Amino acid sequence: MSRSLNFSVSDTINAFITTIPEVSYEDGPLSGTTVAIKDNISTRGVETTCASKILKGYIPPYDAHVVTLLKEAGAAIVGKTNMDEFGMGTTTENSAFGPTLNPCDPARVPGGSSGGSAAAVAAGYCDMALGSDTGGSIRCPAAFCGIVGLKPTYGRVSRYGLIAYANSLEQIGPMAKDVTGVSRLFSVIAGHDKRDSTSVDRPYTHTPDPSIKGLKIGLPSEFFGEGVDPKVAESVRNAVNTLERAGAEAVPCSMPSMSHALAAYYVICTSEASSNLARFDGVRYGPGGDLRKSWHEEFSDRRQERFGKEVRRRIILGTFSLAAGYFGRYYQKAQTARQMVRDDFNRLFKDVDLVAGPTMPSIAFRLKEKSDPLQMYLSDILTVPANLAGVPAISVPCAKVDGMPVGLQLIGRHFEDEKVIDAAFAYEQEAA
Amino acid sequence: MEHDDVIIGLEIHCQLNTKSKLFCGCSTDFRDDEPNTHTCPVCLGLPGSMPVVNKKVIEFAMRVAKALNCTVLKECDFSRKNYFYPDLNKAYQITQYDRPLAEWGKLMIEGEDGERDIRITRIHVEEDPGRSVHMGTTDRGKYTLVDYNRAGIPLIEIVTEPDLRSPKEARRFLNKLRATLEYLNVFDSEKEGSLRVDANISLKGSGRVEVKNISSYKGVEKALTFEITRQRNVIRRGQVVARETRHFVEARGVTTSSRSKEEENDYRYFPEPDLMPMQVADWVEGIILPELPDARRERFMQQYGCSLEHARTLTGGLKLAEFYEEVAKTDAGLAATWTADYLLGELNYRDFSIDAMPAEHFKELITLLKADTITDKSGVEILRTILDQVKNGEKPEMPAAIVNRLGLAKTGGDEITGMVREVIAENPQPVADYHAGKGPALNFLVGQVMKKCRGRADPGHLNALLREELDKMQGGA
Amino acid sequence: MVLSEDVRKIAKLADVGVDDGELEEFTSQCSDILTYFEMLDALPQGAGIDRGLVNIFREDEVTESLSQKEALSNAAETEDGYFKAPRVM
């Protein structure tokens, strides 16, 4: 049975790029649940911009697989959320449509790149949201805005329709106020899609279970060391103590591969991005240009005008990292570093069930605080390992520091998203 | 054209004959349709779309690999080749780079000095880009129109070692390859643009030139012949042959220097992250190859008694070979001669394929010839009549009907003997010349009889008849 | 680590414009970042990572294509059913 609801919010924090004022929805497990969708996920008939001028006016003629699943589950899709352009950023300041503000403190960023989704949920504009996570883009804004966000095991959620930034690293994932909400949304979107050759056949049909007695949690020294705000580190240690009260056992450990993880991440994601973004030529979609110029000239000018600085910077870095005449060897070497991260996790997971630490090294930055690109990249250090290894990772809010939320990150084995969710749920229950 | 110093290697792209494209389900049958009517988010390169490999393409490619004696790699994968061009809508082509499907095979051809193996370096699978049409004439008024119906069509790329020694060998290689692909049922050679060739050619000790954009078999021989002459002229003038990429202009039969910066292009290859690796080497054992051209050639010689030359010609294309086997049911020998030595020539002249000649019509023609009802000359006339009717879009007549309509039946025994005697009576001087030992007089007399019967007699037969009559006279005189 | 000349060349290869005003800033930022990446040089060339899955295929079946109208729906300029693009020099 088809029903509809009216969606109108006073979006003072610029969470949305597009809203859908009248939404129809069907019966199903999510019937009537309001869900916002990050604007890099294709929605048929609804403008999809990736927060970029180069896709202004682009209306996909097809739905992403997850959107089809949401519609079949009865979700009410209320709008497309703001993000860092093409997923490139940690603050949602790199949007062509202005930054999103953190509902906890509008002078601060909501995190990125799924900042709009996180802020919309945190501000209560909608029940749930979809984000995408390439190097922390779901977990970071979840941590900064004080909500729950999951990056699933690579391959568990179809990427068909996700406008690619770094194909080998990213996943679409659920974001909600609590673990139960995340779990409900995950159960709708997880599962095999034959249109995505990297998709695995692992549906999610779990209900969060807080019994974690005997669960072993590893705390890598690298997650609590240099570069991490001591107050943040302390809140997260306290959160781990809470988990111990619930029956878990925490042990110290080490991940030496962390030293190369960030470099590996940025080489791989910029390389893949430089190739993925080459298709934006304004011929088949996007605003048109000047046909009187020659192909390369027009292409180049159009892209300069319509890609933001961060996007162009990453395209250039990625091109350097693949070019035979320059640093072409970096892409392969980055894969070596990547394998080292995987090996480290495999080694740790022989002794522990989960790895824990802060999601981000600090609380949300002030707007315009991080102006140096490299400084910005360094703040991803705690989130990128899970993307490099393809393992599931969740951020659950655990404390406040200087009035701003702090996220506890829990990382699990491949395909043990259920265990990760259980531990996050256990924390929520115990801390309540 | 062949000297010891010519070194040629070929890179051949063939469209594989699957129903759907390489990475999506769009139909490959696009040639008669409007532009951009066979596309989807995947082959249109829309953001968020993802490729999924068509299993049949890999099966077809493996058939080719097996037929060419290649080794299939234990694991192979796809890579991205990154460059910008309007017809390449993702701005990268999904191809195979450092881990192709198969390597190191061979194909035997008829070389300058007998049969020789041409080595195959590698075989890999890749997608075809779309099609650009360059428009406009004035400098500011030029633009490009793009049709993506062809984007995503599966291609197989076959690369040879530089083992070819002449343009003729190159053409023979291509013909053999084409026939092999037809026999494997993976390729339709009649589809426009289904085969494209790039050639690498150098004279020993001199720079290597790449010639691109050759899209016909005849074009290959022309392009290479032109190149060799051009390069020899450069050397003769005391200059150095530049290492470069040149374009073949089919209409003018020349190669021109390519203005593109392709040699500067860094393709930044890396493995396609949206596709998983393939481990298909164990499929090879299960692939049953059909009878291939060389085996069929041997069989034609054994089974039908064809000469090597005829067998080679008749097995040169799948449809041709099948045509021959059908018409050989009447008389294998006559069918071989008439197909290889007469029909093919007439077809080539009209730019027709073997489809233009209905097998039933041809069989009747052979039957008539076998029964000696018509002369060879009449046989040719019948062939031409049928083909011209086909060309005009008419339903072709059966040979017997043509014989009746045009009065082509061979002049019978009594009628001919009568005419022979008439000619002898009407030409006393040539008769006397013949009796005086002047041989050519006989040819003159044969000609006179042929005139009388309007060609409806066999010259050899007439020759014998006249001799008989003339000698009888001699004896009697 | 890299000069503005290199950044220009790479920007050209990537068909991404960088104007003169930005060039110096981009060059110094890219230099810093590429210097950071240099730590990867100490690692050996790997065999690549285990992708987890192999032989993911689909059957050779024809599925419905977009209509010409849908295919062209987002194009700024079209002509007679074709996409219109600037000419290649």
Side-chain angles (χ1 to χ4, degrees):
Chain A
M1 204 193 82
S2 201
R3 278 176 283 222
S4 78
L5 62 82
N6 291 327
F7 181 71
S8 114
V9 286
S10 175
D11 187 7
T12 51
I13 53 174
N14 196 31
F16 285 96
I17 293 175
T18 302
T19 51
I20 296 163
E22 200 180 313
V23 193
S24 61
Y25 61 93
E26 307 294 321
D27 291 333
L30 284 185
S31 188
T33 307
T34 50
V35 181
I37 299 197
K38 189 175 180 182
D39 209 19
N40 59 357
I41 297 172
S42 301
T43 42
R44 186 181 186 167
V46 178
E47 192 183 26
T48 300
T49 67
C50 296
S52 179
K53 283 192 263 188
I54 214 164
L55 279 181
K56 188 92 189 69
Y58 170 61
I59 300 188
Y62 76 104
D63 272 331
H65 186 69
V66 294
V67 172
T68 304
L69 293 174
L70 278 178
K71 286 179 177 172
E72 283 171 0
I77 296 171
V78 294
K80 308 300 293 295
T81 54
N82 201 13
M83 51 184 281
D84 283 296
E85 194 179 354
F86 285 107
M88 300 183 185
T90 312
T91 61
T92 311
E93 287 172 300
N94 290 332
S95 165
F97 305 111
T100 297
L101 312 178
N102 192 322
C104 305
D105 178 353
R108 293 183 185 266
V109 301
S113 59
S114 312
S117 281
V121 169
Y125 294 164
C126 56
D127 300 319
M128 303 173 174
L130 286 185
S132 70
D133 191 311
T134 311
S137 292
I138 285 175
R139 293 162 285 156
C140 161
F144 280 3
C145 291
I147 64 162
V148 182
L150 169 75
K151 182 203 83 67
T153 302
Y154 185 80
R156 264 191 109 160
V157 177
S158 166
R159 286 184 298 115
Y160 185 79
L162 170 65
I163 297 177
Y165 158 22
N167 328 51
S168 74
L169 295 164
E170 58 203 8
Q171 279 290 276
I172 293 174
M175 304 171 80
K177 271 224 148 77
D178 54 29
V179 175
T180 304
V182 157
S183 177
R184 280 180 69 211
L185 186 50
F186 190 39
S187 67
V188 170
I189 61 173
H192 185 246
D193 177 14
K194 61 177 196 237
R195 292 174 299 180
D196 173 351
S197 298
T198 64
S199 161
V200 295
D201 189 6
R202 294 271 199 148
Y204 173 85
T205 54
H206 184 71
T207 313
D209 179 358
S211 41
I212 53 164
K213 214 168 165 67
L215 196 76
K216 277 180 89 175
I217 303 176
L219 305 175
S221 52
E222 293 84 1
F223 282 18
F224 294 89
E226 188 196 315
V228 181
D229 181 318
K231 287 195 255 183
V232 166
E234 196 192 327
S235 343
V236 172
R237 281 197 193 278
N238 290 339
V240 174
N241 291 340
T242 305
L243 279 171
E244 287 184 291
R245 284 202 301 277
E249 186 195 331
V251 294
C253 62
S254 172
M255 282 189 70
S257 62
M258 286 287 284
S259 57
H260 290 73
L262 195 73
Y265 170 76
Y266 271 99
V267 165
I268 293 169
C269 76
T270 56
S271 297
E272 292 179 6
S274 69
S275 177
N276 289 326
L277 266 58
R279 69 183 65 197
F280 296 103
D281 57 13
V283 171
R284 286 151 298 128
Y285 36 78
D290 190 347
L291 281 179
R292 288 167 304 164
K293 291 194 196 162
S294 77
W295 170 252
H296 285 291
E297 197 192 334
E298 169 55 18
F299 202 164
S300 200
D301 288 347
R302 205 176 294 189
R303 285 151 65 84
Q304 177 180 346
E305 215 173 85
R306 297 188 181 138
F307 278 147
K309 262 193 185 166
E310 185 57 36
V311 169
R312 283 184 291 139
R313 192 162 27 236
R314 292 197 194 194
I315 290 174
I316 288 170
L317 285 169
T319 309
F320 265 120
S321 302
L322 287 172
Y326 286 91
F327 306 104
R329 63 191 183 278
Y330 281 177
Y331 188 77
Q332 279 201 306
K333 300 232 171 183
Q335 302 289 11
T336 305
R338 182 175 190 168
Q339 187 61 48
M340 285 165 58
V341 171
R342 291 187 172 205
D343 291 342
D344 252 350
F345 273 121
N346 287 339
R347 175 181 54 80
L348 291 179
F349 286 138
K350 286 206 178 93
D351 298 318
V352 304
D353 301 301
L354 297 173
V355 164
T359 306
M360 296 298 286
S362 70
I363 58 169
F365 328 121
R366 293 185 190 286
L367 286 159
K368 298 197 185 195
E369 182 185 320
K370 297 274 180 187
S371 54
D372 175 50
L374 186 53
Q375 285 310 306
M376 185 77 90
Y377 298 169
L378 290 171
S379 57
D380 290 338
I381 184 61
L382 303 175
T383 45
V384 302
N387 299 87
L388 289 169
V391 289
I394 199 168
S395 179
V396 58
C398 67
K400 286 230 161 93
V401 165
D402 299 337
M404 290 301 292
V406 168
L408 161 68
Q409 179 175 225
L410 297 164
I411 306 171
R413 298 183 183 92
H414 280 105
F415 303 110
E416 289 195 356
D417 309 56
E418 287 81 351
K419 199 168 272 180
V420 166
I421 285 172
D422 284 345
F425 188 58
Y427 173 78
E428 244 181 15
Q429 301 288 90
E430 190 66 32
Chain B
M1 243 311 128
E2 73 283 354
H3 297 251
D4 285 336
D5 61 343
V6 174
I7 303 168
I8 298 171
L10 299 177
E11 251 175 56
I12 303 118
H13 291 87
C14 310
Q15 290 179 338
L16 292 175
N17 217 9
T18 53
K19 291 189 287 196
S20 62
K21 294 184 178 182
L22 175 51
F23 296 121
C24 67
C26 288
S27 162
T28 54
D29 189 16
F30 64 87
R31 277 176 172 80
D32 297 324
D33 294 335
E34 287 293 296
N36 296 304
T37 48
H38 288 261
T39 68
C40 71
V42 178
C43 59
L44 208 50
L46 293 187
S49 63
M50 297 179 73
V52 184
V53 180
N54 179 344
K55 190 174 185 185
K56 203 141 227 127
V57 173
I58 306 302
E59 285 172 2
F60 278 14
M62 292 192 66
R63 261 191 234 175
V64 178
K66 188 167 184 176
L68 297 182
N69 299 108
C70 294
T71 308
V72 173
L73 265 64
K74 234 177 105 205
E75 187 174 288
C76 68
D77 58 16
F78 284 99
S79 288
R80 292 190 186 181
K81 179 181 182 182
N82 298 280
Y83 65 95
F84 295 102
Y85 204 77
D87 64 12
L88 193 68
N89 57 38
K90 297 187 295 295
Y92 57 85
Q93 178 196 32
I94 301 179
T95 177
Q96 293 190 295
Y97 179 60
D98 51 354
R99 300 203 299 164
L101 182 74
E103 296 179 319
W104 297 122
K106 59 188 179 189
L107 182 67
M108 179 142 61
I109 63 160
E110 176 71 8
E112 300 298 340
D113 323 298
E115 292 200 315
R116 204 169 93 243
D117 278 334
I118 303 298
R119 291 171 300 167
I120 308 288
T121 321
R122 56 183 270 155
I123 292 179
H124 74 247
V125 170
E126 62 185 32
E127 56 175 349
D128 218 346
R131 188 177 58 96
S132 309
V133 182
H134 299 294
M135 307 283 285
T137 44
T138 66
D139 211 50
R140 291 242 116 197
K142 286 190 187 161
Y143 56 96
T144 301
L145 294 180
V146 196
D147 170 21
Y148 293 112
N149 282 348
R150 199 183 71 176
I153 293 285
L155 292 178
I156 190 172
E157 179 174 326
I158 297 162
V159 182
T160 75
E161 285 291 289
D163 287 350
L164 297 160
R165 296 279 163 264
S166 69
K168 198 186 282 180
E169 280 197 351
R171 183 171 52 78
R172 289 199 186 134
F173 177 85
L174 277 176
N175 276 331
K176 186 75 179 287
L177 181 64
R178 176 191 48 77
T180 306
L181 294 174
E182 281 176 9
Y183 279 54
L184 290 171
N185 206 13
V186 300
F187 170 70
D188 183 349
S189 62
E190 279 163 28
K191 284 204 181 135
E192 195 208 315
S194 59
L195 184 137
R196 281 160 259 160
V197 184
D198 294 336
N200 285 300
I201 174 163
S202 63
L203 301 172
K204 203 180 277 187
S206 206
R208 201 181 71 181
V209 172
E210 190 188 6
V211 180
K212 291 182 97 74
N213 198 43
I214 306 170
S215 58
S216 73
Y217 307 94
K218 295 184 184 144
V220 173
E221 207 177 345
K222 255 198 238 174
L224 290 171
T225 306
F226 175 85
E227 250 318 280
I228 292 172
T229 309
R230 185 191 74 84
Q231 289 185 23
R232 287 207 195 286
N233 286 340
V234 165
I235 294 172
R236 205 167 291 139
R237 288 200 298 268
Q239 291 163 342
V240 169
V241 175
R243 256 192 92 102
E244 59 168 341
T245 300
R246 296 176 73 85
H247 244 65
F248 179 56
V249 184
E250 178 108 33
R252 286 161 43 204
V254 303
T255 65
T256 59
S257 199
S258 186
R259 282 172 287 121
S260 76
K261 297 180 286 108
E262 272 184 61
E263 51 274 35
E264 275 178 48
N265 217 338
D266 183 337
Y267 295 115
R268 290 154 283 141
Y269 290 97
F270 67 98
E272 171 56 70
D274 279 345
L275 291 175
M276 291 304 186
M278 296 180 286
Q279 291 172 356
V280 293
D282 57 350
W283 294 5
V284 180
E285 218 184 300
I287 295 174
I288 301 168
L289 294 178
E291 187 186 39
L292 292 179
D294 286 348
R296 199 157 197 164
R297 187 189 70 191
E298 287 307 307
R299 182 166 66 77
F300 276 18
M301 287 167 70
Q302 300 295 333
Q303 187 178 338
Y304 300 108
C306 292
S307 67
L308 175 59
E309 245 343 282
H310 275 171
R312 197 171 266 145
T313 304
L314 294 169
T315 55
L318 181 63
K319 281 193 188 167
L320 177 59
E322 288 173 349
F323 176 87
Y324 173 70
E325 295 217 68
E326 178 58 32
V327 301
K329 290 174 185 168
T330 52
D331 180 303
L334 273 177
T337 308
W338 277 81
T339 308
D341 299 340
Y342 291 96
L343 177 59
L344 284 184
E346 297 295 330
L347 290 172
N348 275 341
Y349 176 70
R350 290 164 182 72
D351 230 355
F352 277 167
S353 74
I354 193 71
D355 289 335
M357 173 54 66
E360 286 313 305
H361 288 55
F362 200 74
K363 274 154 81 173
E364 185 167 284
L365 175 63
I366 302 293
T367 309
L368 291 173
L369 285 163
K370 185 173 176 160
D372 209 24
T373 313
I374 51 169
T375 62
D376 286 358
K377 198 161 160 215
S378 299
V380 172
E381 195 175 337
I382 291 169
L383 263 186
R384 289 178 181 167
T385 306
I386 292 174
L387 291 177
D388 286 341
Q389 286 170 344
V390 169
K391 194 174 189 145
N392 292 333
E394 298 160 26
K395 192 171 143 110
E397 283 177 280
M398 291 299 282
I402 299 174
V403 167
N404 282 339
R405 183 166 62 79
L406 298 180
L408 294 177
K410 237 194 208 182
T411 315
D414 288 339
E415 209 189 330
I416 261 290
T417 315
M419 286 186 187
V420 164
R421 288 183 182 153
E422 273 171 37
V423 161
I424 291 175
E426 288 162 8
N427 294 277
Q429 188 55 47
V431 169
D433 285 344
Y434 172 79
H435 284 145
K438 293 188 183 146
L442 182 62
N443 294 338
F444 173 77
L445 291 169
V446 168
Q448 290 299 100
V449 179
M450 286 294 269
K451 234 165 62 183
K452 229 187 232 295
C453 74
R454 291 194 323 279
R456 288 175 294 121
D458 180 62
H461 181 56
L462 280 182
N463 202 299
L465 254 183
L466 268 166
R467 231 191 259 272
E468 204 186 305
E469 289 297 313
L470 289 166
D471 290 347
K472 258 202 313 228
M473 281 177 69
Q474 177 101 70
Chain C
M1 163 86 3
V2 290
L3 305 171
S4 52
E5 203 34 58
D6 301 311
V7 173
R8 251 199 224 287
K9 267 196 204 154
I10 287 289
K12 193 151 183 226
L13 186 58
D15 259 359
V16 141
V18 175
D19 65 44
D20 294 329
E22 298 169 316
L23 189 59
E24 213 183 298
E25 182 194 348
F26 266 46
T27 305
S28 101
Q29 287 166 344
C30 286
S31 250
D32 287 344
I33 296 165
L34 289 165
T35 305
Y36 181 75
F37 288 171
E38 233 183 345
M39 69 166 80
L40 295 171
D41 252 336
L43 300 174
Q45 199 92 345
I49 49 165
D50 176 16
R51 304 291 306 280
L53 299 168
V54 288
N55 293 352
I56 305 298
F57 295 121
R58 45 168 260 275
E59 294 302 313
D60 185 26
E61 279 156 10
V62 174
T63 56
E64 209 180 325
S65 295
L66 293 173
S67 68
Q68 191 190 72
K69 188 160 173 234
E70 281 175 310
L72 300 173
S73 62
N74 282 289
E77 302 237 21
T78 63
E79 186 177 293
D80 295 335
Y82 290 88
F83 291 96
K84 212 165 163 183
R87 76 198 187 286
V88 181
M89 236 341 183

